[in-house]
């Protein structure tokens, strides 16, 4: 099928598994284990039960009346912010947590940027009785302190990473280094549709519940259930975006728009826009778009939002870009902040800074979107960002 | 001290292992990040190690995101990059090391810098500077096709890995590719020093021998002459990295580094030769 990776984990010319040999057997073991679990009705029943009664799925869709009026469009929010722990990340961690148990591994490691994936992983591990270690860039430990406390209360050990720029890229690398040594008793719950095969495929399968729910919630069967014309999501690694895009990818009537972080502006070079301003290369085990210099050294990303502060992107998005299945745009730090405040003050919803980027693009594109039915994937709530935004003097 | 035997290209590596097998000897291949302590002084460190009994070298191109490397080689890479070390600069170091020591040099890097230059062009450059081989830390045999083709075309030897976790099916795939040598990952985990000698190398080397006639070189975590002596009994070559790089990171200057390396490499060479 067009939209699945081939047996080497490729989405077109992207993806694959570029990893130290020590990890390769574990990656193929993981592929086999997930394929078997995913085809096993009892695994699906267990997962669905947890998604329903623990995570709180399906998450609602909400018509943002005041924003719609203000922006001159029919704007809906897919409320991933209402999922347990406050973001879409939990869809993935509960699924991979169950898989870890099924594989008989007692220990879990994870990386985190904004801390949302770390919290979601620590939560799943507490629920399932697994040991949990979370790697987090030292800079992110500073700007997302609340989530560090949450992870620790949930029983996880948080290890600050001080290499490189001390952000998400470095946390992913630190987790991979741990895994090279511990792979025999440890599962790595990666937080997005990134990394070597089978991770991008597995995380997409676990996140596509977002788009599947949306299809049934907005199916055109009644005036208050219009079919989306445009779906907009922020793209860090790309898991919330792929989760909502994928079930619509074969549907030419719906425009899919991914919004990356333009940071201080694309021209400054200080941004996280791997798809829009990067080039193909290999980062964290996959061939994809990335930020790199002329000699192939990974460049540091920049974004006000820790979850988008990443110089790579999921390989399936690279494929979506090159085959025009989705288009990719950007929003700057300042635009995202403005959107953050607008949503808080007009809808009574404090969004995470990550999806604030998606709203910022919607605000900027109001002429193009006039009168259209637009769905914003509200991937997470902004409690974690309140301290940071307050410190900026707003 | 260049010898008469050609040490460049895949043939140079072949000559090294053929001679060592004839003498019943295990070779010592120290690893060092290029550009330490500075790009200009880098060559001197290799000369010191050659004088102390190294049989060839692994020269590391510093990479910003080295997934297979532990804290010591990571720090070495960060320092070298901060000092302005580029891929071109590293290849110049290789060229100088080859001409001044006459020993085979294997370039160690990661996939992305090679892809960025183009796999074929990278291998042309390797051949031009007289490199004997190429090790790519995040290149498993499954993705090695273009690298095998380009190294073969340009007469450079590609090294492939076997780890304690590698199963028989993967080992056979590695053997089929006929790498210049099989890098036997002596211990789980990334590069770095260890307190204990690996208990995995004997079993892994035997499993590799079952399917491959290529030379076997053990590396990762070999930190003391005792570790090296134990590993040497089972393999054709031993790579020592972090234990040597650490000496350079701790030294005050190039002279200090060269002195420390000379005595350490002499001890490793004696152990491997036992
Ligand atoms: C709320 C929220 N949205 C989005 C992201 C970005 O990740 P992804 O692009 O994988 O959805 C994060 C990452 O931490 C997040 O916390």
């Amino acid at each position: 099928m067009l939209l699945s990776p081939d047996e080497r984990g490729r989405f077109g010319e992207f993806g694959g598994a570029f990893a130290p040999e020590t990890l390769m057997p574990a990656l193929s073991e993981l592929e086999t284990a997930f394929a078997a679990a995913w085809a096993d009705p009892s695994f699906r029943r267990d997962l669905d039960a947890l998604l329903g009664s623990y995570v709180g799925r399906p998450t609602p869709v909400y018509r943002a009346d005041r924003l719609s009026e203000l922006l001159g469009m029919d704007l809906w929010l897919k409320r991933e912010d209402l999922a347990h722990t406050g973001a879409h990340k939990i869809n993935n961690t509960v699924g991979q947590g169950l898989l870890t148990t099924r594989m008989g591994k007692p220990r879990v490691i994870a990386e985190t940027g904004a801390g949302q994936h770390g919290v979601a992983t620590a939560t799943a591990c507490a629920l399932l009785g697994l040991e949990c270690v979370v790697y987090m860039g030292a800079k992110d430990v500073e700007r997302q302190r609340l989530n560090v406390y949450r992870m620790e209360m949930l029983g996880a050990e948080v290890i600050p990473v001080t290499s490189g720029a001390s952000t998400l890229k470095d946390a992913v690398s630190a987790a991979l280094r741990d895994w090279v040594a511990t792979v025999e008793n440890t599962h790595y719950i990666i937080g997005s549709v990134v990394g070597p095969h089978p991770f991008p495929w597995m995380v997409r399968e676990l996140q596509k519940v977002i788009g599947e729910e949306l299809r049934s919630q907005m199916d055109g069967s009644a005036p208050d259930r219009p079919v989306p014309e445009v779906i907009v999501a922020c793209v860090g690694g790309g898991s919330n975006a792929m989760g909502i895009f994928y079930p619509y990818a074969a549907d030419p009537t719906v425009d899919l728009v991914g919004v990356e972080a333009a940071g201080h502006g694309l021209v400054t070079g200080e941004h996280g826009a791997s798809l829009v301003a990067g080039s193909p290369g290999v980062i964290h085990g996959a061939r994809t778009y990335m930020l790199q210099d002329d000699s192939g050294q990974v460049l540091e990303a920049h974004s006000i939002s820790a979850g988008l502060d990443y110089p790579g992107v999921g390989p399936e998005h690279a494929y979506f870009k090159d085959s025009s299945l989705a288009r990719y745009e950007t929003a700057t730090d300042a635009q995202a902040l403005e959107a953050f405040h607008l949503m808080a003050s007009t809808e009574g919803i404090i969004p995470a800074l990550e999806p604030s980027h998606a709203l910022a693009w919607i605000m900027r594109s109001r002429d193009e979107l006039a009168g259209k039915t637009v769905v914003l994937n509200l991937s997470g709530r902004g409690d974690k960002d309140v301290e940071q935004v307050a410190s900026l003097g707003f | 001290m260049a010898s008469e035997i050609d040490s460049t290209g895949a043939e140079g590596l072949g000559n090294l292992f053929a001679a060592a097998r004839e003498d019943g000897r295990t070779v010592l291949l120290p690893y060092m990040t290029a550009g330490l302590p500075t790009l200009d002084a880098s060559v001197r460190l290799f000369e010191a190690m050659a004088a102390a009994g190294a049989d060839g070298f692994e020269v590391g191109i510093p990479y910003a995101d080295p997934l297979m490397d532990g804290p010591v080689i990571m720090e070495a890479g960060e320092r070298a990059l901060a000092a302005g070390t580029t891929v071109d600069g590293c290849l110049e170091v290789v060229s100088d090391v080859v001409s001044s020591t006459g020993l085979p040099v294997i370039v160690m890097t990661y996939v992305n810098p090679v892809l960025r230059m183009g796999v074929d062009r990278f291998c042309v450059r390797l051949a031009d500077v007289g490199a004997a081989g190429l090790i790519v830390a995040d290149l498993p045999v499954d993705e090695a096709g273009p690298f095998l083709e380009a190294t073969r075309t340009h007469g450079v030897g590609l090294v492939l890995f076997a780890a304690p976790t590698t199963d028989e099916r993967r080992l056979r795939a590695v053997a089929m590719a006929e790498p210049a040598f099989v890098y036997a990952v002596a211990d789980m985990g990334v590069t770095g020093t260890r307190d204990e000698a690996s208990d995995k190398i004997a079993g892994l080397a035997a499993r590799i021998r079952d399917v491959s006639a290529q030379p076997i070189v053990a590396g990762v975590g070999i930190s003391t002459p005792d570790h090296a002596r134990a590993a040497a009994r089972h393999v054709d070559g031993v790579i020592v990295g972090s234990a040597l790089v650490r000496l350079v990171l701790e030294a005050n200057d190039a002279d200090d580094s060269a002195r420390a390396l000379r005595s350490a490499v002499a001890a490793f060479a004696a152990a491997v030769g036992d």
Side-chain angles (χ1 to χ4, degrees):
Chain A
M1 183 180 145
L2 161 78
L3 296 170
S4 273
D6 66 16
E7 69 283 356
R8 290 168 65 214
R10 297 288 180 131
F11 303 92
E13 57 179 297
F14 298 104
F18 296 87
E21 173 61 24
T22 310
L23 289 182
M24 293 302 292
L27 292 171
S28 52
E29 179 197 341
L30 182 59
E31 179 184 3
T32 308
F34 180 68
W38 208 226
D40 178 351
S42 80
F43 181 87
R44 300 295 282 263
R45 256 195 314 276
D46 291 350
L47 178 59
D48 287 347
L50 280 179
L51 289 179
S53 61
Y54 186 76
V55 172
R57 303 210 72 87
T59 58
V61 281
Y62 162 73
R63 169 99 178 2
D65 286 347
R66 297 191 65 210
L67 272 178
S68 292
E69 192 179 292
L70 196 73
L71 298 173
M73 64 186 75
D74 180 28
L75 181 63
W76 298 70
L77 310 179
K78 177 63 174 160
R79 299 291 307 273
E80 293 302 299
D81 61 316
L82 294 179
H84 182 42
T85 70
H88 68 293
K89 299 285 179 185
I90 190 88
N91 304 328
N92 172 37
T93 61
V94 166
Q96 288 201 55
L98 281 178
L99 184 66
T100 307
T101 308
R102 191 180 156 108
M103 290 190 299
K105 294 188 169 181
R107 178 174 179 265
V108 160
I109 54 172
E111 87 294 343
T112 196
Q116 285 305 113
H117 175 60
V119 167
T121 305
T123 298
C125 288
L127 173 71
L128 299 167
L130 298 164
E131 181 190 342
C132 181
V133 172
V134 180
Y135 290 93
M136 186 170 189
K139 181 173 164 194
D140 295 336
V141 168
E142 282 306 311
R143 58 180 165 175
Q144 309 271 280
R145 203 163 269 292
L146 182 63
N147 273 341
V148 176
Y149 297 140
R150 290 169 81 196
M151 286 183 270
E152 287 173 349
M153 284 171 198
L154 290 161
E157 181 190 356
V158 179
I159 302 183
V161 178
T162 53
S163 54
S166 305
T167 58
L168 182 54
K169 160 182 92 72
D170 312 294
V172 175
S173 300
L176 282 166
R177 286 192 190 95
D178 176 313
W179 207 32
V180 174
T182 59
V183 62
E184 286 158 311
N185 78 344
T186 298
H187 176 57
Y188 176 19
I189 300 189
I190 209 165
S192 191
V193 287
V194 301
H197 180 65
F199 284 113
W201 161 64
M202 178 170 66
V203 177
R204 178 200 77 198
E205 288 299 296
L206 292 169
Q207 289 291 4
K208 74 181 184 190
V209 63
I210 305 172
E212 283 171 350
E213 285 174 7
L214 185 64
R215 280 196 88 99
S216 63
Q217 289 165 322
M218 298 183 72
D219 59 0
S221 64
D224 62 348
R225 302 164 69 96
V227 174
E229 293 168 277
V230 184
I231 296 175
V232 188
C234 65
V235 178
S239 66
N240 85 87
M242 193 49 72
I244 200 166
F245 287 178
Y246 183 74
Y248 288 91
D251 186 342
T253 65
V254 184
D255 274 346
L256 306 174
V257 183
V259 182
E260 296 191 299
H264 294 144
L266 294 184
V267 290
T268 66
E270 294 169 10
H271 58 77
S274 326
L275 288 162
V276 171
S279 55
V282 167
I283 180 170
H284 292 145
R287 184 162 190 279
T288 185
Y289 280 83
M290 63 184 283
L291 305 179
Q292 59 182 323
D293 69 12
D294 289 343
S295 35
Q297 300 284 357
V298 185
L299 292 174
E300 310 294 359
H302 167 81
S303 171
I304 191 173
S305 106
L308 305 184
D309 197 348
Y310 182 62
V313 67
E316 193 166 15
H317 283 292
Y319 174 69
F320 271 37
K321 172 187 156 90
D322 278 15
S323 48
S324 300
L325 288 169
R327 59 192 259 232
Y328 295 90
E329 304 282 348
T330 62
T332 63
D333 289 353
Q335 292 165 342
L337 268 177
E338 193 189 333
F340 175 96
H341 289 292
L342 182 70
M343 182 173 293
S345 59
T346 45
E347 293 291 346
I349 296 171
I350 298 179
L353 281 172
E354 290 82 7
S356 297
H357 287 72
L359 179 60
W361 178 81
I362 290 171
M363 288 161 62
R364 218 171 66 227
S365 310
R366 48 194 294 183
D367 291 345
E368 178 195 333
L369 299 175
K372 289 199 170 160
T373 298
V374 178
V375 177
L376 163 64
N377 196 19
L378 187 54
S379 56
R381 67 175 188 231
D383 307 41
K384 69 183 177 63
D385 299 314
V386 165
E387 191 186 331
Q388 187 192 358
V389 173
S391 78
L392 293 171
F394 280 83
Chain B
M1 51 171 291
S3 62
E4 310 83 73
I5 310 172
D6 188 6
S7 64
T8 64
E11 218 171 303
L13 264 182
N15 292 340
L16 173 69
F17 288 110
R21 271 192 183 175
E22 210 157 283
D23 303 345
R25 207 168 66 81
T26 299
V27 302
L28 176 67
L29 302 172
Y31 166 94
M32 187 57 58
T33 304
L36 285 185
T38 64
L39 211 47
D40 290 337
S42 200
V43 184
R44 287 182 47 203
L45 305 193
F46 291 94
E47 288 169 345
M49 293 191 284
D55 295 293
F57 298 109
E58 209 187 310
V59 176
I61 297 181
Y63 186 54
D65 199 33
L67 285 183
M68 188 57 207
D69 286 309
V72 173
I73 295 180
M74 266 171 79
E75 189 188 334
E78 279 176 20
R79 277 206 212 172
L81 287 172
T85 305
T86 60
V87 174
D88 284 342
C90 293
L91 292 176
E92 250 166 69
V93 169
V94 171
S95 170
D96 292 348
V97 172
V98 171
S99 56
S100 96
T101 68
L103 297 176
V105 170
I106 303 137
V107 169
M108 140 92 199
T109 183
Y110 283 80
V111 168
N112 203 51
V114 183
L115 291 186
R116 188 68 180 174
M117 187 181 286
V119 180
D120 194 74
R121 186 142 167 259
F122 195 90
C123 292
V124 169
R125 297 286 306 277
L126 288 182
D128 283 350
V129 296
L134 172 64
I135 299 181
V136 187
D138 52 351
L139 183 73
V141 63
D142 324 56
E143 302 282 0
F147 290 73
L148 282 165
E149 193 182 312
T151 46
R152 245 172 232 143
T153 304
H154 302 292
V156 176
L158 184 70
V159 174
L160 292 174
F161 292 88
T165 46
T166 305
D167 62 19
E168 308 313 311
R169 189 186 58 79
R170 296 188 59 80
L171 273 186
R172 272 194 297 275
V174 168
M176 289 258 292
E178 297 190 346
F181 61 77
V182 179
Y183 190 131
V185 180
D187 202 3
M188 298 297 288
V190 293
T191 60
T193 53
R194 310 276 198 275
D195 293 335
E196 302 283 321
S198 161
D199 58 359
K200 302 203 159 64
I201 196 64
L204 177 57
R207 291 200 296 128
I208 298 169
R209 289 247 195 268
D210 277 348
V211 296
S212 172
Q214 301 307 109
I216 303 172
V217 176
V220 176
I222 298 176
S223 314
T224 66
D226 281 343
H227 296 176
R229 185 180 295 110
R233 294 213 307 271
H234 309 286
V235 294
D236 304 286
V238 170
I239 293 172
V240 179
S242 299
L244 298 175
V245 174
R246 195 173 56 184
L247 298 175
V248 177
L249 296 182
E250 287 166 358
N252 295 320
D253 54 27
D255 285 339
D256 227 21
S257 301
R259 232 185 335 266
L261 285 177
R262 202 172 296 124
S263 70
V265 169
F268 277 107
V272 164
D274 272 359

